[in-house]
Amino acid sequence: MTGTEARTSTEEPDSARSRINVIRTSPNRADIEELTAYHEFLGFQEQQKRTYGKLLDGENTPQNISVYGFLLGTLCGGGLVYAVKVATEQPQLPYFLCALALFHFLEYLATALYNPRKLTLDSYLINHSAHYHAAHAASFLEFAIESYFFPSWRPFGLINGLGLLLVIVGQAARTTAMMSAKGNFSHRIVDFKAPEHQLVVHGIYSVMRHPSYFGFYWWALGVQCLLFNPICLLLFVFYLHRFFKERIAYEEYTLLRFFGDEWTQYKNKTPTLLPLID
């Protein structure tokens, strides 16, 4: 293919231009949807040109999605094998790495399976926030310092086992919440009600009001028990409680606006199961 042929192959065909002109002069709903889809296709082509051959640049591209999944799978599988086969007396850190990788992978997988319209690279939640990364950095730091100065704390014991159990329960609750809510689930609080938005009251939502928050709360505290990080555990209890208390208050304000008495009745009979958060 010559250079001229390569350029002309990406230009708009005359038939497409004429079709767009017809739509612009006499639009109807079907024509508008067709024109929107066509512009989305052109935008996708432009994005593909910009990101061709690039990896780990933060763009929502197939290559980044596959690399993220591969790295998380490697970390999860490697951590589990190392914990079971090598670090049998002190498996806390590899178990934590396994749980962390699995958490991010399941966020993406659950979105892909049950909420595909909202699926992007950000669905992995890896670029969550600076506070999130700082919290995990602090966990690693405390674990390393205490392992060096207090090695007698590190053999796997009852508290570590309890932490691992909390991690499993928390992860199960969060993933089940995303499965139950399907398209109604969002990683961000929305300020307007979409026509298809429904109040989810079945499944795990019939047991607790905010199961995804419940899941992350106990997952995060479980991680600190698993690592036996007493300082981070106390800090996590304080900051997680403050964060979820404020977030739940605002989210429930929006839900009251969206659903009125239906939300009030549901709230009155369904607890959060989060300590000190009504």
Side-chain angles (χ1 to χ4, degrees):
M1 180 179 287
T2 66
T4 303
E5 289 172 334
R7 286 194 299 273
T8 56
S9 64
T10 59
E11 294 174 354
E12 289 184 14
D14 292 338
S15 59
R17 280 201 216 94
S18 60
R19 176 64 177 148
I20 291 172
N21 290 333
V22 170
I23 292 175
R24 285 170 176 166
T25 56
S26 57
N28 56 50
R29 184 178 180 84
D31 289 338
I32 292 173
E33 290 177 353
E34 181 180 345
L35 182 59
T36 301
Y38 179 72
H39 281 295
E40 288 177 352
F41 172 72
L42 291 180
F44 174 76
Q45 281 192 323
E46 185 62 30
Q47 182 194 39
Q48 291 297 96
K49 294 177 187 176
R50 291 197 311 269
T51 60
Y52 181 79
K54 295 181 180 179
L55 288 175
L56 302 177
D57 58 354
E59 294 290 336
N60 183 38
T61 58
Q63 60 265 32
N64 281 332
I65 291 170
S66 61
V67 168
Y68 277 32
F70 173 78
L71 293 177
L72 290 173
T74 301
L75 183 61
C76 180
L80 183 60
V81 170
Y82 192 83
V84 173
K85 294 294 185 180
V86 181
T88 54
E89 293 186 1
Q90 298 183 18
Q92 297 94 311
L93 186 59
Y95 273 144
F96 165 62
L97 295 176
C98 175
L100 182 63
L102 185 63
F103 169 80
H104 288 289
F105 177 76
L106 288 178
E107 289 294 300
Y108 187 90
L109 181 62
T111 305
L113 289 174
Y114 301 102
N115 200 3
R117 290 189 305 166
K118 299 176 183 176
L119 185 67
T120 68
L121 184 68
D122 290 337
S123 299
Y124 279 114
L125 287 191
I126 291 177
N127 299 320
H128 187 279
S129 68
H131 296 91
Y132 177 77
H133 297 307
H136 284 310
S139 300
F140 275 112
L141 183 61
E142 181 180 356
F143 182 83
I145 292 174
E146 291 173 356
S147 295
Y148 181 80
F149 288 103
F150 308 102
S152 61
W153 291 9
R154 289 309 169 211
F156 197 86
L158 180 62
I159 293 179
N160 307 108
L162 175 62
L164 183 59
L165 178 62
L166 288 175
V167 167
I168 294 172
V169 170
Q171 182 64 72
R174 183 168 176 86
T175 303
T176 302
M178 297 177 71
M179 293 167 57
S180 297
K182 295 183 171 61
N184 298 288
F185 186 88
S186 175
H187 284 116
R188 295 181 176 87
I189 298 176
V190 295
D191 292 316
F192 66 93
K193 182 180 181 296
E196 67 276 9
H197 191 178
Q198 298 178 344
L199 180 63
V200 182
V201 298
H202 62 273
I204 194 171
Y205 285 87
S206 65
V207 179
M208 63 186 84
R209 291 206 304 274
H210 300 281
S212 67
Y213 297 158
F214 171 92
F216 185 80
Y217 180 90
W218 290 111
W219 181 94
L221 296 187
V223 161
Q224 301 312 312
C225 291
L226 172 63
L227 295 175
F228 197 67
N229 286 346
I231 297 174
C232 279
L233 176 61
L234 294 176
L235 291 175
F236 271 51
V237 168
F238 175 77
Y239 284 108
L240 284 173
H241 179 269
R242 188 175 72 173
F243 172 78
F244 282 121
K245 186 178 180 66
E246 294 175 356
R247 186 178 178 91
I248 286 174
Y250 180 70
E251 182 171 340
E252 293 193 344
Y253 166 74
T254 65
L255 290 169
L256 179 61
R257 288 195 295 111
F258 293 169
F259 301 105
D261 291 340
E262 183 184 6
W263 163 255
T264 301
Q265 294 174 10
Y266 170 72
K267 178 181 178 180
N268 289 338
K269 67 180 182 181
T270 313
T272 65
L273 298 186
L274 288 169
L276 304 179
I277 299 179
D278 183 17

